[in-house]
Amino acid sequence: MAHAFVVQPALQNQRHSPQQSSLNLFNKIFEESGPLGKGITVGKVQVALFCKDRSRNSIFGVLERATQGSDSSSSADLARLTNEVCLQLLRRSDDWTAACSESQWYGQNDSGKAESYYNDLATREAAKFEKEYDQVSSHDGEDAASTMVVVSLIVEIEGDNTNFKGAGYSLAGTKEVLTSLASDAMVESGDCVNAAEVFWCPGEKDEVLSNADLIIDFPELIDL
């Protein structure tokens, strides 16, 4: 199983398509520019890393503290959450094993489509994270069990400046994506962040995620 901090906009019965993406590129010329550029960007960045234990200072402990007490109705809280998750992943870059990212840009008049794409990404990740994984032996101790971890961050942010391209193709590219998102999330005191959601897997202390699980359940990840 996995843990998730869920903040989802209202679901719209609309989906993006290659034709709509092409139109967006054309319509972008007529968009008004905000602090982070034009329109709305919805994106996901996902990082797999090795975690040697489940202590308070591990990625598990950090994510649990980051999500506790966050106000899902506050853009400032969502921005701080996004910033903190990105920074904590960057501080553990030596433990990364794989990553990936994807995004879609929408015009301000297509906010419903942006919400729909956001919900598509979140639903896809939620389906993966419902799986139960192998449990550690009781004599090993839950906090001492090492495991692979997959952290997924989905964000809807205003503008077109935030870089979601390149995670997984190199360490540098992955760092650029996380750095761009961490920085842009705090622009205008966080007001540019419309929605955010973070998943991490495994979420239970007695579960272990193996390399084989990564290949089967997260085929989109690119080895670093």
Side-chain angles (χ1 to χ4, degrees):
M1 299 288 286
H3 283 168
F5 182 78
V6 180
V7 186
Q8 288 184 282
L11 180 63
Q12 305 290 324
N13 294 320
Q14 298 169 303
R15 295 292 183 266
H16 72 287
S17 67
Q19 291 82 3
Q20 289 170 344
S21 297
S22 299
L23 285 173
N24 279 337
L25 293 174
F26 178 78
N27 291 336
K28 195 172 184 178
I29 299 172
F30 304 100
E31 286 286 318
E32 292 186 8
S33 184
L36 290 174
K38 301 178 178 181
I40 302 168
T41 300
V42 179
K44 178 190 81 171
V45 58
Q46 193 169 60
V47 177
L49 64 158
F50 177 74
C51 184
K52 65 180 181 180
D53 59 46
R54 318 292 177 97
S55 67
R56 175 179 173 82
N57 293 325
S58 71
I59 190 65
F60 290 101
V62 167
L63 290 174
E64 287 174 357
R65 291 196 301 277
T67 55
Q68 287 174 354
S70 294
D71 182 357
S72 62
S73 64
S74 166
S75 290
D77 272 8
L78 297 181
R80 282 192 291 269
L81 172 68
T82 300
N83 176 270
E84 180 66 13
V85 171
C86 291
L87 291 179
Q88 292 298 335
L89 288 173
L90 284 165
R91 290 167 185 161
R92 291 165 173 78
S93 60
D94 288 345
D95 298 324
W96 294 352
T97 63
C100 66
S101 57
E102 61 180 288
S103 65
Q104 180 71 42
W105 180 88
Y106 295 91
Q108 291 289 353
N109 292 333
D110 291 326
S111 59
K113 295 175 183 178
E115 290 177 359
S116 177
Y117 180 55
Y118 177 94
N119 284 320
D120 283 347
L121 290 176
T123 299
R124 276 191 273 151
E125 293 310 312
K128 296 176 189 177
F129 285 85
E130 287 301 316
K131 180 177 177 180
E132 295 184 359
Y133 293 94
D134 291 339
Q135 296 183 335
V136 298
S137 300
S138 58
H139 61 78
D140 291 334
E142 292 176 349
D143 288 341
S146 61
T147 182
M148 297 303 300
V149 185
V150 177
V151 180
S152 299
L153 179 62
I154 302 169
V155 178
E156 179 183 315
I157 189 167
E158 296 178 9
D160 60 349
N161 288 353
T162 306
N163 176 29
F164 281 96
K165 296 181 180 179
Y169 292 101
S170 68
L171 279 171
T174 306
K175 289 179 180 179
E176 286 178 9
V177 170
L178 290 169
T179 300
S180 174
L181 185 53
S183 176
D184 288 351
M186 302 309 294
V187 169
E188 296 285 298
S189 301
D191 284 345
C192 293
V193 177
N194 295 334
E197 185 164 354
V198 58
F199 293 93
W200 63 95
C201 177
E204 301 299 329
K205 282 193 172 183
D206 61 350
E207 290 183 340
V208 173
L209 188 69
S210 67
N211 285 319
D213 293 323
L214 289 182
I215 295 171
I216 294 171
D217 295 332
F218 303 93
E220 65 272 27
L221 286 169
I222 304 169
D223 289 342
L224 291 167

